[in-house]
Amino acid sequence: MFSIILLQLIVFFLPSQLGLHFWPEFSRAAGIKIDYLSPTLYFTDLPLIAFIALNLKIIITWLKNHKFKVGSFLVYVFLNSFYGVSPPNSVFWWGRVLLYLLFFLTLRLRKVTWSQVRQPLIISTLLVVSLEMFQLFRQSSLGGLLYWLGERAFTSSTSGLARLSLGGLDFVRPPSLFSHPNSLAGYLLIVYYLLHLHRSALWHRLFVFLGLLLTFSKGALLAFLLVFTFPLNSFFPIVSFLTFSLLQPVLPNLLPSLQFVSDRFFLLVPSRYIIFQSPLLGVGLGNFIPSLVRFLPGSFLLSEKLQPVHNLPVLLVSEIGFVGLALIVLLLHQNYRKILNPQFLTLVVIVIITGSFDHYWWTLPQNKLILLLAGAILL
């Protein structure tokens, strides 16, 4: 019973990014503090660890029954970290990956269902969208107690925010509790998909859809259009957008007049060199930015430029290499019957399409957790 209460608490606080950041030397790139490199203890980590601890017995039993797979994975983790550009940074990133994998494994072993997480997920999502609307209207954060849920303080004059010009008006795109409105859009897209599959109340779906629209995220809206409007075979968009993603580093800067496209092509050229630097094992999990410093001119060593490439497959290959990619393919092949489930494949389509234009499924905790939760329910 307590385990279910913990799970519902985790689901309710999934959108929160409240965390305690640490700033060791490896959290800097070119002398600049980088959020992505900062070891962080998130509020959601505490109930996650407790949830895993309560189910440790069944987890250990599973691990004992899969010794070879677990051992092979740990050997790869060691090699990827030890031969990476920044081993301490990789160790931190792998630690978080292992925590999230244990969470996913626990969800699967306990056979968690939609009915167990439905209510806290809907309530928290409605609150997130409501906050988004208030931020759009005020063009600033609300502050107060919302700080303790992870809302970052901003006003319309704060620099570095995602903005949009529409009808002659320039305004801030509201991020709600997230670090960026695109990350919020990906999260809402997964929630909408779960509500759609389980025939949730129409007003729930409309409210979440409105929140998705107000993010003005082109990648997420494109995924919504393709998934929910056109009856496409799942393999067609997967193959198409994977091909598009992997070809981006070798293509010229197409459609430079579209700012959102040209921004995402900026880091693709150095991405080629990062992949060539260590094609087998990768540069180490979480080490794209430390590697990026080596391939950017000094004038581009700015905090807004030092970020992961907005291309999920390219980012993945650069950090884990083709050996890591082969391990993922092998794992998928061994579980292909479960993965061929149409509902799960549609989830993969959503990730592949949005991942062609962004990196949040790989880099941000809220997006990773909602994806793992959805995957555990649908598999």
Side-chain angles (χ1 to χ4, degrees), residues 193-205:
Y193 178 54
L194 290 174
L195 296 177
H196 171 78
L197 280 179
H198 295 94
R199 302 181 184 278
S200 187
L202 179 60
W203 77 270
H204 289 162
R205 284 176 280 166

Side-chain angles (χ1 to χ4, degrees), residues 69-341:
K69 290 181 182 178
V70 174
S72 300
F73 175 69
L74 292 178
V75 167
Y76 169 75
V77 168
F78 171 77
L79 293 174
N80 177 261
S81 301
F82 184 79
Y83 291 103
V85 171
S86 175
N89 186 51
S90 287
V91 168
F92 158 69
W93 274 78
W94 276 117
R96 182 157 297 283
V97 166
L98 292 174
L99 174 65
Y100 287 178
L101 287 178
L102 287 175
F103 173 60
F104 177 75
L105 177 61
T106 307
L107 293 176
R108 293 286 298 133
L109 292 175
R110 288 188 60 88
K111 295 180 170 58
V112 169
T113 62
W114 167 249
S115 62
Q116 292 173 322
V117 302
R118 172 186 174 276
Q119 188 171 3
L121 182 63
I122 290 176
I123 293 173
S124 67
T125 304
L126 295 180
L127 291 174
V128 162
V129 174
S130 298
L131 175 59
E132 177 193 14
M133 293 176 180
F134 279 115
Q135 289 176 345
L136 180 63
F137 177 75
R138 287 168 52 101
Q139 285 293 282
S140 70
S141 56
L142 271 66
L145 291 175
L146 291 170
Y147 168 82
W148 297 102
L149 288 176
E151 185 193 34
R152 294 184 177 180
F154 70 90
T155 67
S156 58
S157 60
T158 302
S159 61
L161 296 177
R163 298 176 180 273
L164 184 70
S165 294
L166 193 65
L169 297 175
D170 180 74
F171 58 90
V172 175
R173 295 166 55 198
S176 189
L177 296 177
F178 291 69
S179 58
H180 195 283
N182 288 348
S183 170
L184 168 61
Y187 186 96
L188 293 179
L189 190 56
I190 297 295
V191 174
Y192 182 91
Y193 178 54
L194 290 174
L195 296 177
H196 171 78
L197 280 179
H198 295 94
R199 302 181 184 278
S200 187
L202 179 60
W203 77 270
H204 289 162
R205 284 176 280 166
L206 289 176
F207 201 72
V208 174
F209 175 65
L210 178 59
L212 179 60
L213 283 177
L214 294 180
T215 65
F216 300 98
S217 172
K218 299 175 183 66
L221 291 173
L222 174 63
F224 183 92
L225 181 67
L226 292 178
V227 169
F228 296 105
T229 305
F230 298 105
L232 295 175
N233 180 288
S234 295
F235 288 103
F236 176 75
I238 289 175
V239 173
S240 299
F241 279 90
L242 266 180
T243 303
F244 170 68
S245 296
L246 294 173
L247 285 179
Q248 282 183 28
V250 296
L251 292 174
N253 189 350
L254 301 177
L255 303 177
S257 60
L258 296 179
Q259 186 64 31
F260 83 97
V261 174
S262 60
D263 284 349
R264 279 148 178 75
F265 270 90
F266 171 75
L267 295 177
L268 288 171
V269 173
S271 296
R272 293 198 306 243
Y273 301 118
I274 292 174
I275 292 173
F276 294 153
Q277 178 183 354
S278 185
L280 293 180
L281 291 174
V283 294
L285 197 67
N287 282 335
F288 181 87
I289 295 175
S291 301
L292 184 62
V293 171
R294 305 180 181 186
F295 302 106
L296 288 181
S299 59
F300 284 84
L301 295 179
L302 307 169
S303 57
E304 60 268 23
K305 299 295 185 183
L306 294 175
Q307 57 180 299
V309 62
H310 286 71
N311 184 312
L312 182 62
V314 170
L315 179 61
L316 192 116
V317 172
S318 67
E319 291 191 349
I320 68 173
F322 289 102
V323 172
L325 196 62
L327 290 175
I328 292 176
V329 172
L330 181 62
L331 178 65
L332 294 176
H333 176 71
Q334 291 178 344
N335 297 274
Y336 74 94
R337 290 183 179 177
K338 295 179 180 178
I339 292 168
L340 289 179
N341 169 4

